[in-house]
């Protein structure tokens, strides 16, 4: 009824640590490849291949993930630990619409409050997103801020639309719309209806406790349902090719074959 919930410790800390290290290495490699590109056109193509659109890009990345061993392991752990909830809300046939990692570094500003799927103009069922903390997330690291209960209220969405973009990142708007900061332990999962108002918090300077925050996220879509508004951050080679049931035990062979076909299995195995 609130449009969000947290499941503590759903993904083991060792699995999260392995994926966090992988993300750091691959993110660095992607940035290097873009910087060494042979022209603006090639650099832009690589930017779109590796990164999704994220609000307040300075020191914040939406890094599209390959189907490497660390990624498959983390998503499979997530699905196994929360199968009942996912099965009830999106079904085993749900498409994997997003597979990415949100990364914010010290100095990243707070994002404006927003929904991923606006209520106005959308007749489709919402998407369901699961954010996994790949390390402990403290207040200083800019935890995700959610506004419980706003996913079904068209008037609240309309009220937010009347606010200026700068105001939406201010404390006053957060208080008006009931924003709550979700600091959490490593491996905790935030499930969120895509219509819920939310934003990423400000990551403070290192001397004030800020440090890199990494959130694996998967978004699940009911078959035949594609609401407008989402960035659909997923690598082209994986788009519309995976379902929730593929990350259950019986689907591991399909994951391996697809990883091989994409060349992702060679990145860590």
């Amino acid at each position: 009824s609130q449009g969000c919930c947290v499941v503590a410790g759903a993904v083991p800390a060792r699995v999260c640590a392995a994926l966090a290290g992988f993300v750091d290495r691959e993110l660095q490699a992607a940035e290097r490849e873009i910087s060494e590109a042979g022209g603006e056109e090639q650099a832009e193509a690589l930017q779109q291949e590796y990164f999704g659109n994220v609000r307040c890009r300075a020191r914040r990345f939406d890094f599209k993930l390959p189907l490497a061993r660390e990624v498959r392991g983390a998503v499979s752990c997530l699905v196994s630990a929360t199968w009942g909830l996912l099965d009830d809300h999106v079904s085993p046939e749900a498409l994997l619409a997003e597979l990415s990692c949100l990364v914010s570094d010290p100095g990243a500003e707070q994002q404006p409050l927003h929904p991923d799927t606006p209520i106005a103009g959308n007749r489709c069922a919402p998407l369901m997103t699961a954010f996994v903390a790949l390390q402990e997330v403290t207040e200083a690291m800019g935890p995700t801020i959610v506004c419980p209960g706003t996913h079904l209220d068209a008037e609240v969405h309309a009220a937010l639309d009347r606010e200026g973009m700068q105001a939406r990142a201010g404390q006053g708007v957060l208080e008006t719309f009931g924003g709550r900061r979700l600091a959490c332990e490593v491996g905790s999962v935030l499930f969120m209806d895509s219509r819920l108002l939310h934003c990423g918090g400000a990551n403070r300077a290192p001397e004030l406790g800020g440090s890199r925050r990494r959130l694996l996220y998967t978004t699940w879509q009911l078959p035949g349902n594609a609401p407008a508004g989402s960035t659909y951050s997923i690598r082209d080679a994986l788009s519309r090719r995976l379902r929730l049931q593929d990350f259950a035990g019986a689907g591991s062979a399909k994951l391996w074959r697809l990883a091989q076909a994409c060349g992702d299995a060679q990145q860590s195995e």
Side-chain angles (χ1 to χ4, degrees), residues 44-113:
E44 180 60 28
L46 290 170
Q47 183 75 28
Q48 292 183 11
E49 177 184 350
Y50 290 130
F51 297 102
N53 293 320
V54 63
R55 293 170 173 83
C56 301
R57 289 189 178 188
R59 299 183 177 88
R60 181 176 272 113
F61 310 91
D62 182 2
F63 183 51
K64 300 176 185 178
L65 293 173
L67 204 58
R69 178 182 59 190
E70 293 87 349
V71 179
R72 299 196 308 271
V75 178
S76 294
C77 285
L78 163 66
V79 170
S80 175
T82 61
W83 177 264
L85 189 154
L86 288 164
D87 186 17
D88 286 345
H89 283 78
V90 294
S91 87
E93 292 292 321
L95 285 169
L96 179 63
E98 295 185 299
L99 177 62
S100 195
C101 187
L102 287 173
V103 179
S104 76
D105 284 331
E109 296 180 352
Q110 182 172 298
Q111 294 177 310
L113 199 62

Side-chain angles (χ1 to χ4, degrees), residues 103-172:
V103 179
S104 76
D105 284 331
E109 296 180 352
Q110 182 172 298
Q111 294 177 310
L113 199 62
H114 64 278
D116 288 339
T117 300
I119 292 177
N122 263 318
R123 296 185 178 181
C124 293
L127 304 169
M128 185 176 187
T129 298
F131 297 95
V132 182
L134 299 184
Q135 69 294 299
E136 178 186 9
V137 179
T138 66
E139 290 287 340
M141 295 165 66
T144 304
I145 302 168
V146 298
C147 300
T150 57
H151 61 302
L152 298 176
D153 197 327
E155 292 184 3
V156 167
H157 278 229
L160 181 65
D161 287 341
R162 291 191 290 270
E163 298 283 352
M165 195 58 65
Q166 185 173 357
R168 294 184 201 183
Q171 185 61 30

Side-chain angles (χ1 to χ4, degrees), residues 245-267:
Q245 62 194 9
D246 295 329
F247 291 92
S252 58
K254 177 180 177 179
L255 293 181
W256 170 245
R257 289 194 299 270
L258 182 55
Q260 283 188 309
C262 296
D264 295 338
Q266 300 172 7
Q267 298 184 43

